[in-house]
Amino acid sequence: MTAQTGGADTYYVPEQSRLAICLATSVAVLILGAAIGLNQMTFGSGDANWTMLWLGLLGFVVILAVWFRQTIVENRAGMNSAQLKHSYALGMQWFIFSEVMFFACFFGVLFYVRNLAGPWLGGEGAKLMTNEVLWPAFDFSWPMQTTPQEAVGGVADQIPANTGTFVGPKESVSWSGIPLINTILLLTSSVTCHFAHVALKADKRSAFNLWLGLTLILGFTFVGFQAYEYYEAYNHLGLTLEAGIYGSTFFILTGFHGFHVCMGAIMLSVQWLRSTVGGHFTPDDQFGFEASSWYWHFVDVVWVGLFLFVYIL
Amino acid sequence: MSEHHGPAKGIKRWIFATNHKDIGTLYLWFSFAMFIIGGAFAMIIRAELFQPGLQMISPEFFNQMTTMHGLVMVFGAIMPSFVGLANWLIPMMIGAPDMALPRMNNLSFWLLPFAFTVLLSSLFMEGGAPNFGWTFYAPLSTTYAPPSVTFFIFGVHLMGASSIMGSINIIATVMNMRAPGMTYMKMPLFVWTWLITAFLLVAVMPVLAGAVTMMLMDIHFGTSFFNAAGGGDPVLFQHVFWFFGHPEVYIIILPAFGVVSQIIPAFSRKPLFGYDSMVYATASIAFLSFIVWAHHMYTVGMPIAGELFFMYATMLIAVPTGVKVFNWITTMFKGSITFETPMLFSIGFVFLFTIGGFTGLMLAIAPADVQYHDSYFVVAHFHYVMVAGAVFSMSAAIYYWLPKWCGRMYDETMGKVHFWIAFIGFNIAFFPQHFVGLAGMPRRIPDYALQFTDFNMMSSIGAFIYGAAQILFLFNVIRTIVAGKKVDDPQVWEGAQGLEWTIPTPAPYHTFTTPPQVK
């Protein structure tokens, strides 16, 4: 266990820890399993073997849980100085910043494709000959329902770059159905999450549990609707990963967002269990919940961007 | 509670490490190992290029060597070496007992050996190692890539996670662990440059993760991000990559700026000239690094407005960089200079880095770059910045702080010999590449036209000399650690400034368990 001294004039001196090397090992098993499995899936002849991936993932989740548990135990034992707590808070804030940049990357891709690359493929401006020579009959519109490949009549009679098979979707996803409901759900959940925070600061335990529980229900309902939307996209709209750039950007943005919602919901669930079962948190020491709630608000803001740029515009 | 515990015994000290000095040592040795491996790849490249025609290796293997040399040197040697330096020095420089988040610090390090084992193992895989250049442009890295690209992608994910965690740790340490009185504008410049570097890393490593993730999706899940047949664009890959890649260049060079800004004042026996302007210049360079990326892509067919914007923005970087070079030289002006090894490497840095900066200005000019693009001129340019910039400053840093770390002095004569062999070898290797590049020799090709033979032979000989100098460096460092002359003066260098020179030599396992007062 880490020894941390608490006084104002002494610093925290860490002890050795097995956690990091175990986590690094499990991550290495995880990525090796993923790479081996994916290569068997794409380049191999038989079925892909995912055993190593699952083993690595199991190890990763278990060790991460042990790690977080240890930090919680240390904090509840009063071992964390105010300075160390602030370090944890900084760590979480900058982690969220890195996540912002991760999503910024995919939003950048979307903007580039819609405003530059797509029109160029359609022959806009100085790129007239790109369209005339390479992709005749391709007209750019968004959502892209006919890919350049379809416009020139398939894979066979085209330049070497015409590889893979990309069939555009029959329909795009309308913003007014599930996405609108999901927007309302997620925005509401950010508000309930904030109410939970206020309740905790006012030391109203049962109100906190209630508001946070409500947040979780809203969050998981969002994930359920999202799963249903994917089911519809694949089975009725012809909107798949292979459906050209519209499908690619749609799924990478909503997919990573959905994954982050799941992460945030799991984090908040842990906080809910800590409060209801463990009786953790006090009005002035609640970092586990605060960090999770920051993450939740971040996920919410990303969704607003998605709703605007992926669904409406 | 254990307030005065020393290091654990045996291997446990290293694999369970939470001490910033131990982790710094791990980073430094790891990066040196990678430096040797990446250097071996470079030697293979130069041996092949010693004469025109295919001499020793197949073109396929040559491509793997150029790719792996770049990847190993950038992500395995230079970046981790500066993280190692940050680990060792930042807590000692700001009066902190350790890094802010010591266990995560250990995780950041231990991801790296796994990442590079995965990356290097691809050399033995069916279809060979990644062969698409260190910039891994699509579709070479997607449609036409060997299967080992999947391992490469996950390796990059691990390196990225390691860098992000390492940077978050550095930011938290600098923002939260400074001793009382150590205001931001009193921090040593090395700490400043690392704070800004860490910010750049947290901002752009996720973008790199996004780029390789899209590659993974294109290869295995049928998406068409980088495939025009589905409405995507291979040039999109270049935009995403260089949005990461250009700040990455400053991630590599800013800590090097920090190092020489510590060393030049020490051996000039004068305070650094223009401290404030150094800080602002560093911040300006970091800001500009986000809006210049497409100067790597002048020949892909961007609209003219884009070319002009990126050209002028790139040229702007010369202003803060010029401020820095001016300040280093002005620091030396009228100083009582002595030329110990760290100072020699620092002056070598200023001289050669400036040459690299000037060739960078030439490359920034869009119409001229159409001629220089993808030629050996570019290779010469970035080796002047990466090797004579980053690696020279790293060598300077090792000679400067090694006595403080292990309480023993390196052999000065051997150090000076190392410098001169490295300096001469480096220039023989890379200066002629400017000429062959301007004359039209393309990079990343295992063969060349006959008229380039003489300069290529010179280049290869210089590269071997530079490589040999590093063996001497390794020998000198090991000799210092095991048998160097003992030093016990906390100051070590009479002109050295900063908190790290107030603690005993060698630096105790735990420093500043109570915060020092900074006036």
Side-chain angles (χ1 to χ4, degrees):
Chain A
M1 179 147 306
T2 310
Q4 293 152 21
T5 44
D9 54 346
T10 50
Y11 276 128
Y12 149 63
V13 176
E15 274 197 354
Q16 295 223 304
S17 167
R18 287 160 201 269
L19 290 165
I21 186 74
C22 294
L23 197 68
T25 312
S26 67
V27 171
V29 174
L30 172 66
I31 62 140
L32 271 178
I36 291 169
L38 284 171
N39 272 6
Q40 285 168 340
M41 180 183 90
T42 307
F43 305 113
S45 45
D47 281 345
N49 183 350
W50 301 103
T51 320
M52 206 169 153
L53 170 74
W54 291 116
L55 274 179
L57 191 63
L58 181 72
F60 177 72
V61 170
V62 168
I63 296 160
L64 211 56
V66 172
W67 193 327
F68 281 124
R69 184 182 172 280
Q70 181 167 332
T71 57
I72 292 167
V73 168
E74 285 167 4
N75 186 40
R76 287 175 57 77
M79 296 159 87
N80 292 1
S81 65
Q83 187 179 39
L84 181 60
K85 288 178 184 179
H86 187 55
S87 287
Y88 281 138
L90 283 169
M92 188 67 193
Q93 288 157 5
W94 285 95
F95 169 66
I96 290 176
F97 174 66
S98 80
E99 293 273 50
V100 168
M101 292 306 293
F102 185 68
F103 278 101
C105 170
F106 298 122
F107 276 110
V109 167
L110 181 68
F111 297 148
Y112 181 82
V113 166
R114 288 184 58 171
N115 299 316
L116 296 170
W120 288 341
L121 281 174
E124 188 185 88
K127 309 288 178 168
L128 180 66
M129 293 315 282
T130 306
N131 182 259
E132 287 288 322
V133 176
L134 297 179
W135 312 105
F138 172 70
D139 263 331
F140 176 71
S141 63
W142 193 266
M144 187 186 288
Q145 286 180 313
T146 308
T147 62
Q149 185 180 66
E150 289 174 288
V152 298
V155 181
D157 56 350
Q158 255 297 329
I159 55 161
N162 193 355
T163 52
T165 307
F166 309 107
V167 180
K170 292 199 288 280
E171 276 178 69
S172 61
V173 182
S174 155
W175 65 270
S176 56
I178 290 175
L180 182 64
I181 298 171
N182 263 352
T183 308
I184 295 165
L185 285 176
L186 215 52
L187 287 176
T188 314
S189 80
S190 237
V191 175
T192 55
C193 188
H194 177 68
F195 285 166
H197 195 186
V198 173
L200 186 55
K201 281 197 162 161
D203 207 12
K204 292 178 184 152
R205 172 72 54 172
S206 55
F208 170 74
N209 290 344
L210 192 69
W211 284 118
L212 186 54
L214 198 58
T215 310
L216 286 174
I217 292 169
L218 291 167
F220 283 114
T221 315
F222 173 94
V223 175
F225 272 121
Q226 189 78 19
Y228 178 70
E229 184 183 86
Y230 276 20
Y231 171 82
E232 284 288 306
Y234 257 77
N235 289 290
H236 297 121
L237 304 181
L239 177 60
T240 66
L241 283 168
E242 291 93 353
I245 193 65
Y246 175 63
S248 304
T249 50
F250 175 82
F251 282 108
I252 205 144
L253 276 160
T254 58
F256 270 116
H257 177 263
F259 174 71
H260 281 73
V261 173
C262 292
M263 289 293 104
I266 291 168
M267 282 157 64
L268 285 176
S269 302
V270 172
Q271 314 311 323
W272 188 75
L273 286 173
R274 283 179 66 189
S275 172
T276 51
V277 180
H280 292 194
F281 305 128
T282 63
D284 46 52
D285 192 5
Q286 37 174 288
F287 177 66
F289 168 72
E290 274 181 336
S292 311
S293 75
W294 295 338
Y295 198 77
W296 193 251
H297 294 311
F298 149 71
V299 164
D300 194 30
V301 171
V302 173
W303 176 260
V304 174
L306 279 181
F307 186 55
L308 209 58
F309 295 113
V310 175
Y311 291 100
I312 295 185
L313 295 176
Chain B
M1 302 286 178
S2 46
E3 279 169 25
H4 298 289
H5 59 177
K9 295 281 176 285
I11 188 85
K12 282 185 179 176
R13 170 174 177 183
W14 305 107
I15 60 174
F16 303 147
T18 47
N19 181 290
H20 72 102
K21 299 186 180 79
D22 284 350
I23 294 174
T25 305
L26 285 169
Y27 264 112
L28 289 171
W29 278 114
F30 172 79
S31 63
F32 199 87
M34 289 298 126
F35 186 55
I36 297 291
I37 293 174
F41 296 157
M43 295 301 110
I44 294 172
I45 294 169
R46 281 322 315 175
E48 171 60 42
L49 291 174
F50 188 71
Q51 286 186 309
L54 295 183
Q55 302 298 333
M56 305 169 59
I57 55 175
S58 67
E60 292 78 18
F61 190 66
F62 185 86
N63 286 344
Q64 295 174 29
M65 285 296 101
T66 52
T67 306
M68 296 298 265
H69 166 69
L71 289 170
V72 167
M73 284 305 198
V74 168
F75 294 103
I78 299 179
M79 287 171 69
S81 72
F82 282 111
V83 182
L85 215 52
N87 259 293
W88 254 103
L89 295 174
I90 289 177
M92 299 204 301
M93 284 178 162
I94 62 173
D98 208 297
M99 297 295 280
L101 303 160
R103 284 175 291 206
M104 192 171 81
N105 201 11
N106 191 21
L107 179 61
S108 318
F109 172 75
W110 279 106
L111 287 176
L112 285 179
F114 290 112
F116 281 89
T117 309
V118 169
L119 182 66
L120 290 170
S121 70
S122 66
L123 278 166
F124 307 102
M125 286 176 193
E126 207 178 312
N131 55 6
F132 28 69
W134 87 274
T135 51
F136 45 102
Y137 281 4
L140 286 178
S141 61
T142 52
T143 313
Y144 306 107
S148 63
V149 66
T150 315
F151 292 85
F152 156 82
I153 288 171
F154 284 113
V156 170
H157 274 305
L158 280 202
M159 294 166 209
S162 160
S163 288
I164 291 171
M165 285 190 286
S167 307
I168 289 176
N169 213 340
I170 287 168
I171 293 175
T173 306
V174 175
M175 290 180 76
N176 193 32
M177 306 284 280
R178 281 169 291 123
M182 176 66 80
T183 58
Y184 278 110
M185 290 312 272
K186 280 185 191 161
M187 292 195 310
L189 212 68
F190 178 75
V191 181
W192 253 117
T193 53
W194 241 118
L195 177 64
I196 291 169
T197 302
F199 167 75
L200 288 178
L201 274 166
V202 180
V204 300
M205 285 317 260
V207 177
L208 178 68
V212 291
T213 304
M214 286 185 282
M215 276 169 60
L216 190 78
M217 300 290 287
D218 271 12
I219 293 167
H220 294 291
F221 297 101
T223 54
S224 49
F225 290 106
F226 308 131
N227 193 333
D233 186 358
V235 176
L236 169 61
F237 176 86
Q238 299 184 23
H239 281 292
V240 179
F241 177 82
W242 286 113
F243 184 83
F244 147 80
H246 201 78
E248 167 71 16
V249 176
Y250 297 112
I251 286 162
I252 285 171
I253 204 66
L254 289 183
F257 287 172
V259 166
V260 292
S261 302
Q262 301 296 127
I263 294 176
I264 288 180
F267 294 99
S268 305
R269 290 159 184 80
K270 274 177 68 190
L272 183 68
F273 184 87
Y275 172 91
D276 291 15
S277 66
M278 282 300 221
V279 174
Y280 301 139
T282 311
S284 313
I285 292 174
F287 167 73
L288 288 171
S289 76
F290 285 107
I291 54 165
V292 298
W293 75 87
H295 66 216
H296 298 267
M297 308 163 48
Y298 283 142
T299 57
V300 295
M302 271 187 299
I304 193 78
E307 305 234 340
L308 287 174
F309 171 78
F310 286 108
M311 177 168 91
Y312 290 127
T314 304
M315 288 177 163
L316 265 184
I317 297 180
V319 177
T321 313
V323 168
K324 286 189 159 290
V325 174
F326 178 84
N327 285 349
W328 290 321
I329 293 171
T330 317
T331 303
M332 288 188 272
F333 184 66
K334 288 190 175 172
S336 16
I337 306 178
T338 48
F339 296 94
E340 284 86 348
T341 312
M343 185 62 166
L344 284 178
F345 271 106
S346 299
I347 296 173
F349 167 94
V350 174
F351 180 52
L352 298 178
F353 172 80
T354 306
I355 294 179
F358 280 138
T359 53
L361 264 179
M362 291 170 70
L363 289 163
I365 303 165
D369 177 78
V370 175
Q371 171 68 21
Y372 310 147
H373 194 89
D374 260 351
S375 76
Y376 257 82
F377 189 78
V378 178
V379 177
H381 157 70
F382 69 72
H383 280 91
Y384 266 78
V385 193
M386 297 282 123
V387 182
V391 180
F392 269 36
S393 89
M394 196 62 215
S395 311
I398 297 293
Y399 284 115
Y400 185 58
W401 279 292
L402 191 62
K404 169 56 72 182
W405 296 341
C406 67
R408 290 172 186 273
M409 183 53 85
Y410 63 87
D411 185 308
E412 188 63 55
T413 314
M414 218 190 293
K416 286 196 165 108
V417 171
H418 168 213
F419 168 74
W420 284 109
I421 298 180
F423 185 86
I424 293 167
F426 171 82
N427 281 296
I428 296 177
F430 292 106
F431 207 71
Q433 293 183 0
H434 291 112
F435 305 133
V436 290
L438 289 178
M441 178 171 162
R443 65 191 283 210
R444 290 174 171 162
I445 308 282
D447 190 6
Y448 50 82
L450 293 178
Q451 68 267 31
F452 301 134
T453 310
D454 291 345
F455 277 143
N456 268 288
M457 280 187 172
M458 283 169 66
S459 250
S460 292
I461 291 168
F464 297 141
I465 295 174
Y466 183 78
Q470 306 316 314
I471 307 297
L472 183 66
F473 181 37
L474 176 65
F475 175 76
N476 199 358
V477 168
I478 293 176
R479 199 190 145 279
T480 308
I481 294 169
V482 297
K485 194 163 140 281
K486 290 220 158 120
V487 201
D488 51 11
D489 178 13
Q491 188 64 30
V492 183
W493 309 105
E494 65 168 61
Q497 298 286 329
L499 279 179
E500 79 267 34
W501 307 105
T502 63
I503 57 175
T505 302
Y509 195 58
H510 292 297
T511 32
F512 303 122
T513 43
T514 52
Q517 281 293 333
V518 180
K519 284 195 281 295

